[in-house]
Amino acid sequence: MKDSYTDCLIVARSELATAQRLLAAEISAYPTPISGCDAQFNHLLAERVRIADALSQLNASVFVPTPRMPTPADRMESR
């Protein structure tokens, strides 16, 4: 049976949440001391930001402007 786009979004959110948990565990288990030039640790931090951004984009509502509703502040269509 074919998945609907909402099913795909649910799977994407679930997979990103799993990646976020795994990455948090990896960062917390990272050995100390950490210097400012530790490229691997900095990469993990950058990946954490990418995952958080992807999750927030999936959860954000999208505004599509139309001629009758050009800005999000216009709650009612103008005629």
Side-chain angles (χ1 to χ4, degrees):
M1 191 160 124
K2 198 179 227 182
D3 290 332
S4 72
Y5 75 94
T6 53
D7 294 337
C8 293
L9 290 174
I10 290 168
V11 170
R13 284 184 186 102
S14 175
E15 291 295 322
L16 284 169
T18 300
Q20 196 173 37
R21 283 191 300 277
L22 292 171
L23 188 58
E26 189 171 346
I27 288 171
S28 68
Y30 201 82
T32 56
I34 300 168
S35 65
C37 62
D38 190 341
Q40 183 179 358
F41 186 74
N42 291 341
H43 175 72
L44 293 175
L45 295 178
E47 288 297 303
R48 182 174 64 179
V49 170
R50 288 181 62 209
I51 292 169
D53 287 347
L55 275 169
S56 85
Q57 287 297 316
L58 280 175
N59 294 325
S61 61
V62 177
F63 173 75
V64 178
T66 64
R68 292 189 176 185
M69 199 168 164
T71 65
D74 299 329
R75 292 288 178 199
M76 301 188 73
E77 290 184 10
S78 60
R79 291 183 186 242

